[in-house]
Amino acid sequence: MPPLKTCIVGSGNWGSAIAKIVGQNTQKSNRFDPVVKLWVFEELINGRKLTEIINQEHENVKYLPGRKLPHNVVAVADVGEAANGADILIFVIPHQFIPKTCEQLMGKIKAGAIGISLIKGIDEGPEGLKLISDIIREKLKIEMSVLMGANIANEVADEMFCETTIGCKNANSGKIFKELLQTPNFRIAVVDDCDTVELCGALKNIVAVGAGFCDGLGFGDNTKAAVIRLGLMEMIAFTKLFCKDTVQINTFLESCGVADLITTCYGGRNRKVAEAFARGGKTIEQLEQEMLNGQKLQGPQTSAEVYKILKQKKMIDKFPLFVNIYLICYEGKSVKEFITCLQNHPEHM
């Protein structure tokens, strides 16, 4: 078997942290080609192209400063060129950019290639819910898996121990992804409940916005714990609504579920921006521009997509936490009213 070629589609904070792992692992294994292509959305940093900086200095100075990337990770500005000949495609870009990126890749993907999405978000399709992995699968005609977990990118890049979850229906592909991505400090569990893994990764960002509101309003740890618990209940109820009989409750106990929910509600950009929003004076969009250095927020946008789906299904009253977070972010509802959705939350869902 010729060695498998890998392309990472996306080079933000999380994409660069994953590139560090993949670059190191491909050097150690005969199964993989050591050259890892990294698609970089080209931008100028102090007059120099970001691809040039990464290829010469082996550091993504904008999105993962202070951490060196392995020399075998090669930045490429054209996404079609980066993906050309790749056997494995790792998708790690903000979810709002996926349709356009897939269009640029159509007809350029190697037959038999497999993909894995690290993208935390969902889309709203004509039938309601549309998973990001489904969009990629349909547009590019490739087998897709997902990776989600309690993985704050800077901590992963600094090789602090954490766990993650791969949702993968094909056992052979699961073994390939595990070999490509696992390290002693990045421990992977593979499960076959892919849709639940992916929905956990998207929905927990909405709950993190609620946790940030708590912090900005000066509520205590008890209130934040209630947001996390009620948020988890809504995550489970929403997943059951859309995945019907395939949901395995144990998946919520994997890293993609409760662990990712906790870490995102105490760290992470959604919580941070929501805290600043609750302190007042600025919109979500203004804070994203000011605080995130070009990164994109996923929580508020996911709440908008979830709201549209719930409205379509006439189920708005069943998800008070998700719905109120949307109304506060986008419809001018006062953040000071956030506590009422907790006080009036149904005891059982």
Side-chain angles (χ1 to χ4, degrees):
M1 284 283 290
L4 300 169
K5 293 182 176 176
T6 306
C7 168
I8 302 172
V9 181
S11 57
N13 188 228
W14 188 209
S16 299
I18 284 296
K20 189 168 179 266
I21 288 176
V22 172
Q24 288 167 348
N25 281 356
T26 52
Q27 289 174 333
K28 297 176 198 163
S29 166
N30 294 331
R31 191 191 279 234
F32 305 105
D33 188 306
V35 176
V36 176
K37 299 277 183 71
L38 176 69
W39 174 54
V40 174
F41 182 79
E42 193 69 280
E43 50 191 308
L44 293 176
I45 312 289
N46 299 325
R48 289 178 69 197
K49 289 180 177 177
L50 184 54
T51 50
E52 197 178 280
I53 296 169
I54 292 171
N55 289 332
Q56 289 173 4
E57 294 168 25
H58 308 290
E59 182 183 343
N60 188 333
V61 293
K62 179 162 186 185
Y63 296 109
L64 194 67
R67 287 94 170 173
K68 290 291 180 190
L69 298 175
H71 288 216
N72 57 318
V73 173
V74 179
V76 180
D78 179 88
V79 71
E81 187 189 329
N84 185 30
D87 301 285
I88 300 165
L89 294 151
I90 301 172
F91 294 89
V92 54
I93 55 176
H95 78 279
Q96 48 268 52
F97 300 144
I98 266 294
K100 186 183 172 191
T101 304
C102 284
E103 275 160 32
Q104 292 172 308
L105 286 171
M106 284 164 83
K108 297 177 182 174
I109 302 296
K110 183 176 178 180
I114 57 173
I116 187 165
S117 170
L118 281 59
I119 299 168
K120 295 179 173 178
I122 54 172
D123 206 354
E124 181 227 351
E127 305 298 310
L129 181 74
K130 193 87 173 161
L131 296 172
I132 302 302
S133 64
D134 285 340
I135 295 172
I136 302 170
R137 185 183 295 111
E138 286 167 19
K139 286 192 182 292
L140 302 183
K141 309 286 186 277
I142 58 172
E143 177 197 300
M144 284 298 298
S145 300
V146 294
L147 179 149
M148 308 281 155
N151 309 138
I152 288 174
N154 290 352
E155 294 183 15
V156 173
D158 290 339
E159 298 180 21
M160 297 180 186
F161 178 82
C162 67
E163 300 174 309
T164 200
T165 312
I166 288 178
C168 182
K169 288 196 164 39
N170 181 327
N172 191 45
S173 299
K175 285 179 189 152
I176 291 169
F177 288 130
K178 192 163 182 171
E179 188 177 334
L180 181 65
L181 292 159
Q182 182 159 268
T183 75
N185 287 318
F186 190 65
R187 194 171 71 169
I188 293 170
V190 181
V191 300
D192 63 5
D193 188 9
C194 306
D195 292 353
T196 303
V197 172
E198 187 166 359
L199 278 168
C200 282
L203 298 173
K204 56 95 194 185
N205 281 329
I206 308 177
V207 186
V209 173
F213 290 165
C214 280
D215 294 339
L217 294 165
F219 298 151
D221 286 337
N222 294 342
T223 310
K224 195 158 156 181
V227 168
I228 293 170
R229 188 189 78 82
L230 295 169
L232 180 60
M233 282 172 65
E234 291 196 12
M235 285 168 62
I236 294 170
F238 189 90
T239 305
K240 282 181 173 174
L241 191 61
F242 289 96
C243 300
K244 309 268 184 313
D245 305 331
T246 61
V247 178
Q248 297 166 25
I249 288 296
N250 280 352
T251 306
F252 291 94
L253 300 177
E254 295 288 347
S255 182
C256 62
V258 71
D260 196 8
L261 179 61
I262 291 166
T263 198
T264 312
C265 287
Y266 280 90
R269 65 188 86 147
N270 290 284
R271 187 217 62 79
K272 187 167 107 179
V273 173
E275 178 182 6
F277 176 82
R279 296 216 157 118
K282 291 182 178 170
T283 66
I284 291 285
E285 289 81 1
Q286 286 171 318
L287 292 165
E288 182 182 61
Q289 285 178 342
E290 286 175 21
M291 297 174 70
L292 296 185
N293 187 35
Q295 291 176 271
K296 292 291 176 193
L297 266 191
Q298 300 299 312
Q301 182 147 352
T302 304
S303 79
E305 277 138 11
V306 164
Y307 180 80
K308 283 183 206 157
I309 292 163
L310 292 173
K311 196 172 178 186
Q312 193 183 332
K313 300 270 183 193
K314 298 186 170 51
M315 298 196 78
I316 281 175
D317 57 330
K318 299 260 192 297
F319 293 85
L321 188 71
F322 287 175
V323 166
N324 276 277
I325 287 166
Y326 162 75
L327 294 174
I328 290 165
C329 287
Y330 292 110
E331 300 288 349
K333 183 167 185 173
S334 170
V335 71
K336 293 184 172 61
E337 291 181 48
F338 176 61
I339 196 75
T340 59
C341 78
L342 307 180
Q343 292 165 335
N344 302 323
H345 205 283
E347 283 180 39
H348 303 287
M349 292 191 74

